[in-house]
Amino acid sequence: MAPILEIKDLKELARKRVPKMFFDYADSGSWTESTYQANETDFGKIKLRQRVAVDMTNRSLATKMIGQDVSMPVALAPTGLTGMQHADGEILAAQAAEEFGVPFTLSTMSICSLEAVAAKTQKPFWFQLYVMKDRDFINALIDRAKNAGCSALVLTFDLQILGQRHKDLRNGLSTPPKFTPKHIWQMATRPAWCMKMLTTKNHSFGNIVGHAKDVEDLSSLSSWTAEQFDPRLSWDDIEWIKKKWGGPLILKGILDKEDAHCAAESGCDAIIVSNHGGRQLDGAPSSIEILPEIVDAVGDKVEIHIDGGIRSGQDVLKAICLGAKGTYIGRPFLYGLGAGGKKGVTQALEIIQKELDTTMALCGRRDLNTLNRDNLYSIDGVK
Ligand code: FNR
């Protein structure tokens, strides 16, 4: 087998191992996918400043995200249906992150439930919340996250309505999946994935099934869920959610300076500069393009994190130099999961860690916390 040296290698292996409809679910953006692509390519516009003859021994990538120790500032982003890339995907990814010393964020739309992940992990993980119309359900979810020992709530603010992804519609993706002869053929050509899926009962939204009492037919669960996202979500909602949760709160999906000011005012602990991995507003700028102006606007008031398009340790380093205190990877860990389960997620983290460490050294720095804009050249106005 070809060696796994970069995230791209995990992606290609996952493409071969995961049935097309589920691989496409991870590897897609909304409409023309221009924002999805820009998230990745805009990192290439930023150039690193090479330094020599600097002592490069005793390097450290350790830092803190929202006051919590991390071995490097790279968390696993919340991703729905993660258990479709690999059986028990959320549990395996959480275990890999735990062993690596980085945060794992469980999505509201996960296959494995809060309780299932808590039962199979030792340390607290983070929980991502979508605000839905049924506020009793949201209150119950927050209680469940507290009972599961979650140590941060990531509140997603950029999904009041769902963006359209053409690939999912063309593939007929639903939850739980409804299989046509074409899907069955795709799965039959991936026997390892099938065998693992057959040994698990988790094929639906684990956090929601028990609460969706009005849904008798589970096959309508995904349309029920899509109708539940609250289009009236407002800045005022942060107050009651913050009060109910009572712990560290991270606001996800900020891509605009004015929104960043409102977010900072809301009293959250951190914001994530994000366009949902290019899955919501196609045509929006990349996260890395917007990061510097958000740091300049509110970086002294709130901790700033970023996700979208991070595919290497160099990308992480560029985001840190531009003022992010933390980064998240979505697809890179999903590719790892699809390629090799828990081991694949660990490989994704190892690849990024090694690249980050080597890049930091070649930029003449030994401690990640000393990186800043001086380590970059300004290209195309991104810096
Ligand atoms: C996501 N994302 C996401 N975000 C969120 O807040 N809740 C969710 O349930 C999901 N689900 C989801 C599924 C899949 C398959 C992907 C790829 C993404 C967005 C995610 O948290 C993050 O913002 C992006 O994945 C970051 O971009 P990269 O790293 O995938 O390029």
Side-chain angles (χ1 to χ4, degrees):
M1 201 168 66
I4 303 290
L5 301 174
E6 54 181 332
I7 297 299
K8 223 188 288 173
D9 298 329
L10 289 170
K11 178 175 179 177
E12 291 318 308
L13 201 51
R15 195 195 298 279
K16 288 187 194 134
R17 292 188 173 169
V18 178
K20 184 176 181 330
M21 125 167 101
F22 301 122
F23 178 82
D24 280 355
Y25 169 67
D27 187 35
S28 58
S30 55
W31 291 322
T32 67
E33 302 192 338
S34 68
T35 299
Y36 173 28
Q37 285 156 19
N39 273 349
E40 293 186 15
T41 53
D42 278 359
F43 274 102
K45 295 179 184 167
I46 307 168
K47 302 297 170 197
L48 301 167
R49 205 170 143 204
Q50 172 180 301
R51 300 303 306 276
V52 296
V54 178
D55 182 357
M56 291 175 189
T57 56
N58 299 323
R59 297 183 302 278
S60 169
L61 301 178
T63 184
K64 288 183 192 289
M65 287 172 74
I66 54 158
Q68 299 179 17
D69 288 323
V70 291
S71 61
M72 63 175 176
V74 182
L76 302 194
T79 52
L81 295 182
T82 302
M84 288 302 179
Q85 304 300 316
H86 190 288
D88 288 333
E90 287 89 356
I91 293 172
L92 301 182
Q95 290 172 339
E98 175 173 294
E99 284 167 22
F100 218 88
V102 296
F104 168 79
T105 319
L106 185 72
S107 163
T108 297
M109 314 308 287
S110 57
I111 302 282
C112 301
S113 66
L114 273 155
E115 294 76 13
V117 176
K120 298 280 182 180
T121 49
Q122 310 295 322
K123 294 185 199 150
F125 54 94
W126 295 357
F127 182 64
Q128 174 267 328
L129 185 72
Y130 278 128
V131 181
M132 298 191 175
K133 290 176 197 157
D134 181 349
R135 295 293 151 92
D136 290 343
F137 172 58
I138 297 305
N139 277 306
L141 259 187
I142 296 175
D143 283 336
R144 287 171 63 193
K146 282 193 209 175
N147 290 338
C150 294
S151 59
L153 190 72
V154 175
L155 183 59
T156 298
F157 244 53
D158 62 4
L159 206 141
Q160 285 166 263
I161 57 167
L162 199 60
Q164 178 169 315
R165 289 162 228 139
H166 295 326
K167 282 179 193 152
D168 291 348
L169 294 173
R170 290 194 178 109
N171 287 331
L173 182 76
S174 65
T175 316
K178 280 192 214 121
F179 295 119
T180 63
K182 192 170 125 194
H183 296 139
I184 291 167
W185 168 248
Q186 282 172 10
M187 290 194 294
T189 57
R190 284 142 170 96
W193 182 93
C194 276
M195 285 314 292
K196 289 193 183 91
M197 279 295 176
L198 286 173
T199 56
T200 168
K201 292 196 190 91
N202 300 324
H203 296 127
S204 196
F205 295 123
N207 292 319
I208 295 178
V209 176
H211 286 271
K213 294 196 182 69
D214 50 331
V215 184
E216 282 173 21
D217 172 12
L218 274 189
S219 64
S220 62
L221 185 61
S222 41
S223 47
W224 177 88
T225 309
E227 282 163 20
Q228 288 297 307
F229 292 113
D230 191 348
R232 291 159 311 167
L233 179 70
S234 83
W235 295 109
D236 294 338
D237 286 306
I238 296 178
E239 203 176 320
W240 68 264
I241 293 169
K242 199 166 136 46
K243 203 163 150 212
K244 169 83 190 163
W245 165 242
L249 183 70
I250 303 172
L251 212 55
K252 177 173 185 284
I254 304 299
L255 204 66
D256 181 272
K257 218 167 30 177
E258 285 178 32
D259 287 346
H261 280 294
C262 297
E265 294 285 300
S266 75
C268 62
D269 297 272
I271 61 174
I272 309 178
V273 176
S274 172
N275 49 37
H276 215 102
R279 294 163 80 82
Q280 285 293 98
L281 180 63
D282 184 43
S286 68
S287 304
I288 194 67
E289 181 178 353
I290 290 301
L291 176 67
E293 69 179 60
I294 294 199
V295 169
D296 291 343
V298 298
D300 56 344
K301 298 191 182 80
V302 68
E303 188 168 310
I304 296 179
H305 300 171
I306 182 174
D307 74 18
I310 291 170
R311 299 292 177 268
S312 68
Q314 290 93 299
D315 295 344
V316 173
L317 182 128
K318 289 171 183 176
I320 299 295
C321 288
L322 288 173
K325 300 291 177 211
T327 69
Y328 298 71
I329 49 169
R331 295 177 184 89
F333 96 81
L334 293 178
Y335 299 147
L337 194 59
K342 181 179 164 187
K343 186 170 164 239
V345 178
T346 303
Q347 276 178 310
L349 289 167
E350 281 170 353
I351 288 168
I352 288 177
Q353 184 188 48
K354 185 161 184 237
E355 291 167 339
L356 178 57
D357 178 52
T358 306
T359 309
M360 181 177 77
L362 294 173
C363 287
R365 302 275 189 187
R366 293 194 295 181
D367 180 350
L368 184 113
N369 297 297
T370 63
L371 291 164
N372 59 48
R373 291 185 195 187
D374 284 346
N375 294 101
L376 307 176
Y377 291 108
S378 173
I379 304 282
D380 285 358
V382 175
K383 181 180 161 189

